[in-house]
Amino acid sequence: MKKIFALIMALVMLTVLVSCSGAKDSGSGSAEKKTFIMGIDPEYPPFSFLGEDGNYTGFDVEICQAACDYLGWEMKIFGVNWDEKLIQLDSNECDCIWSGMTILDSMKEAGYVISKPYYDNTQVIVVKADSGYNSSADLAGKLVAVQLGTSGEALLNGDLADLAATFGDVITADSFLKCFTELAGNAVDAVFVDMPVAASYAAEHEGYKIIDEQLGAEQYGIAFRSGDEALCDEIEKAVAALVENGTYAKIAEKYPDIVNNLLFLND
Amino acid sequence: MSEIKKSGSADVTPILEIRGLQKSFGELSVLKDISLSVDPGNVLSIIGPSGSGKSTLLRCASFLETANGGDILYDGKYAFKDGEYAGKAELNQFRTLFGMVFQNFNLFPHYSVMKNICEPPVLRGQDKEKVRARAEELLKKMGLEGKEDAYPYQLSGGQQQRVAIARALALEPEILYFDEPTSALDPELTGEVLKVIRQLADDHMTMVVVTHEMAFARAVSNRVIFMDGGFIIEEGHPEEVFGNPQQERTRRFLSNYTQ
Amino acid sequence: MSLTTMILKMSEGLGKTCAIFFLTLLFSLPLGMIVALLRMSRNKIISSVTRFFINILRGTPLMLQLLAVTYGPYYLFGISVSRNKLIPVVIAFAINYAAYFAEIYRGGIESIPAGQYEAAEVLGYSKTQTFLRIILPQVVKRIMPSVTNEVVTLVKDTSLAFTVSYQEMFTIGKQIANSQTSFVPFVVAGVFYYLFNLIVDRVMGLIEKRLNYYK
């Protein structure tokens, strides 16, 4: 396991290095560049995912890259295990978690530095188009999948516990793709997932529909280690500059599913 | 040693008869045209240098090795004829006629002495009580009273070999084969095993003994065969073979053993 | 969430962990013997095909096999993914462990001296009697330490079931860790696995002791 993981890591780092080499020159050109390691969920489109060309991409990845270019930093990407993301952050495997991450109160209580929210997210339920389920009430006694470690899971255990109690069972999978595989293979009846993920999945795959019911509003932010206020500040300022000079909006255009919920563009 | 019946006399059917037996391992020919017979109550010793084919001969006679040519007969019936074996059921029938004592004892380590001896006859459908009584008698004869519940690892090599002999005898074979029964033993332990075999000879047990113990072979056997290079070089009464060997090779071999 | 609640919640998953453990042993121990016998078959085709499968099962991660057994039938043939995940999990585990056990059995069987077979043959044991009465009991004793190793590994491997969304103890631990932003559930999981293996170790030790009546 460890070896395979190390191999994957080596490949990831290699691709990042190769993909970064083109954009390198925009910095100050000093010999020692600051390296900023971005922690992402590699399977979380459209915020962060493996692109067609084999490199990580997504809205968050592109914004971070632009911010690092702006700051003259070298950016590296680290794919975290989503349900262990904070432990990996604590162990310095990456410098932030920036990947469509829902801001939870428990994170702030635990001392993590959380950026200003940049995205308004809602949870929705995806079902098969021919299933005949039209509301969350129709799912009483049914199996619902949710990704382990996501805000959706937190909601079902927290604010939406009453709704969750009406389901037959809540199945936690370790990636949102597995949630949808379970749905495709009829192992579950519905998937409880972030709105943008649901929208992009339903757009790319036939036979699914999103139940028209917005469940639990929440916001996305970037998490840093406790004590990294300065780092958070620098990133926030860089992003503000990108918003200012229009780069932010340009990148956002490529992601129509989420553009309406981006807080910096819809103030 | 009294000569019970002269080998090859017309009125007696030999228990074991081998004619023109051949055996090769790939290119290597180990037995080349071996013929012999053993009459009831006789003891045949087979001597010869290592690699002469003595053990292979016993292993062919007990079907542990597949011979390539010749005949093997038990009680005048063909078990192996012109390079063809009898059917499986028949071979099993022939197997009840002989017993085998191995150089390395080959006791079953997970069985007690008693179970080692009793299980084979019981599996053949014999009465448990009778088998047990016979086993106790045999152990007594082997000087192993009180060892019924011991496990092989708790016994000396000599004791283990005596258990192996008792195990073979418990099936009441007509003929017993010994494949270098004392070669794996410390010198001080060979005596107790040889004593038991001698005792069996006195009881007119029919036996074929492959051995390096020349004095023992001379004292116990009715006939001795000297083998070398897959052939029987010399055969006869022990006094003839040991006292007045006719062949140069026999003399040379024996001179290594006698001062 | 209090530690007690945490432990209670995780104990619920422990039942599923135990189910994987015991069912895997129940199926893989005998299946391994069949595979070992096929592997040792004199028929070259049977033995090499068996060897090929053993190599695949031992040469690929169990996690991958779990995914293949659980989702493979759906992707390949459109067969619905099982709602009771215990079924694909136990199938994948049993097949994988059977491959390991088969190689252990084979090593054990091949370590029995030829003289044992020869003695049994001369004494009139049939092939089946020889195997069941003479060879197998000795093999069992010889392979006990290796089997114990595998069983201990199995306890820890049960946590891999999370990859196919089976809600065993470790998965529940992860859920709690997330919702509570706490490392404590992993400690609890570690303690659970350790205690589980402590019991396994004792039981296997007892069995080994019982087999120690001979050498």
Side-chain angles (χ1 to χ4, degrees), chain A residues 46 59 119 196 199-200 203 251-262:
Chain A
F59 177 74
Y119 184 82
S200 81
I251 292 171
E253 270 174 34
K254 294 195 241 169
Y255 301 93
D257 289 335
I258 62 170
V259 74
N260 288 334
N261 291 26
L262 287 167

Side-chain angles (χ1 to χ4, degrees), chain B residues 164-227:
Chain B
I165 295 170
R167 180 174 71 171
L169 287 172
L171 286 165
E172 301 180 309
E174 288 187 25
I175 184 168
L176 196 50
Y177 299 141
F178 290 86
D179 186 6
E180 304 196 22
T182 57
S183 296
L185 297 176
D186 292 334
E188 73 269 22
L189 298 177
T190 58
E192 58 190 68
V193 173
L194 295 179
K195 200 179 117 197
V196 164
I197 301 175
R198 189 185 300 242
Q199 214 177 1
L200 292 174
D202 291 343
D203 295 345
H204 307 310
M205 181 76 208
T206 313
M207 297 187 281
V208 178
V209 186
V210 169
T211 187
H212 289 291
E213 300 284 339
M214 297 306 149
F216 168 78
R218 185 171 188 167
V220 173
S221 322
N222 306 93
R223 295 187 71 74
V224 173
I225 283 176
F226 171 70
M227 273 180 75

Side-chain angles (χ1 to χ4, degrees), chain A residues 5-17:
Chain A
F5 191 65
L7 195 71
I8 292 170
M9 279 311 302
L11 284 174
V12 167
M13 279 156 116
L14 200 70
T15 48
V16 170
L17 280 176

Side-chain angles (χ1 to χ4, degrees), chain A residues 1 4 83-87 106-107 110 112 143 148-149 153 170-174 178 181-182 184-189, chain C residues 9 61 63 67 70-71 74-75 79-83 85 162-165 167 170-171 174-175 178-181 183 186:
Chain A
M1 272 307 291
I4 290 167
D83 47 333
E84 283 157 15
K85 56 187 180 290
L86 294 175
I87 294 165
S106 65
M107 291 176 185
Y112 294 98
L143 295 183
L148 193 55
E153 191 216 346
V170 175
I171 308 294
T172 50
D174 62 349
K178 268 186 204 151
T181 305
E182 301 269 338
N186 292 318
V188 298
D189 303 292
Chain C
K9 275 212 85 163
M63 192 187 276
L67 291 172
T70 311
Y71 301 117
Y74 166 69
Y75 280 120
I79 300 167
S80 287
V81 177
S82 173
R83 291 211 167 199
K85 285 287 160 52
F162 86 89
T163 51
V164 293
S165 317
Q167 313 292 302
F170 195 59
T171 309
K174 282 183 169 191
Q175 292 167 9
N178 273 304
S179 67
Q180 305 294 310
T181 321
F183 193 72
F186 296 119

Side-chain angles (χ1 to χ4, degrees), chain A residues 46-184:
Chain A
F47 291 93
S48 51
F49 57 98
L50 201 61
E52 296 287 337
D53 60 353
N55 294 321
Y56 289 119
T57 184
F59 177 74
D60 282 345
V61 174
E62 288 199 47
I63 295 293
C64 183
Q65 183 64 62
C68 286
D69 288 348
Y70 176 84
L71 291 164
W73 294 352
E74 189 182 344
M75 185 185 95
K76 285 185 178 172
I77 292 182
F78 178 77
V80 301
N81 213 346
W82 196 244
D83 47 333
E84 283 157 15
K85 56 187 180 290
L86 294 175
I87 294 165
Q88 289 180 302
L89 176 63
D90 280 338
S91 55
N92 291 320
E93 286 177 278
C94 53
D95 297 317
C96 70
I97 302 294
W98 188 349
S99 190
M101 185 200 75
T102 304
I103 301 170
L104 297 178
D105 289 341
S106 65
M107 291 176 185
K108 290 179 184 165
E109 283 160 24
Y112 294 98
V113 176
I114 309 291
S115 74
K116 268 184 273 181
Y118 62 91
Y119 184 82
D120 250 338
N121 184 40
T122 48
Q123 300 288 318
V124 290
I125 294 169
V126 180
V127 294
K128 286 205 165 167
D130 56 6
S131 64
Y133 304 131
N134 292 312
S135 75
S136 57
D138 291 344
L139 291 168
K142 305 295 177 193
L143 295 183
V144 179
V146 65
Q147 187 188 347
L148 193 55
T150 57
S151 53
E153 191 216 346
L155 274 171
L156 291 179
N157 281 318
D159 292 353
L160 295 178
D162 289 345
L163 175 65
T166 68
F167 299 153
D169 203 357
V170 175
I171 308 294
T172 50
D174 62 349
S175 79
F176 98 91
L177 264 172
K178 268 186 204 151
C179 292
F180 282 112
T181 305
E182 301 269 338
L183 179 61

Side-chain angles (χ1 to χ4, degrees), chain B residues 59 62-65 88 95 98-100 102 105-111 115-116 119-121 123-124 151 153-154 167-168 171, chain C residues 113-127 129-130 132-138 141-142 211-215:
Chain B
R59 292 169 62 82
S62 55
F63 313 146
L64 288 175
E65 298 288 358
K88 215 176 152 188
R95 278 195 183 96
F98 59 80
M100 179 93 162
F102 297 89
F105 332 136
N106 291 342
L107 291 177
F108 302 136
H110 56 306
Y111 282 176
K115 196 164 182 191
N116 261 289
E119 191 174 80
L123 284 181
R124 285 185 185 181
Y151 283 88
Y153 79 95
Q154 295 166 315
R167 180 174 71 171
L171 286 165
Chain C
Q116 294 287 306
Y117 291 93
E118 292 178 353
E121 186 183 325
V122 172
L123 290 167
Y125 286 76
S126 71
K127 286 247 154 60
Q129 286 170 338
T130 304
L132 293 178
R133 290 170 180 269
I134 308 301
I135 306 304
L136 194 58
Q138 297 185 55
K141 181 184 163 80
R142 285 179 192 219
L211 289 172
N212 250 347
Y213 65 90
Y214 72 94
K215 276 172 192 160

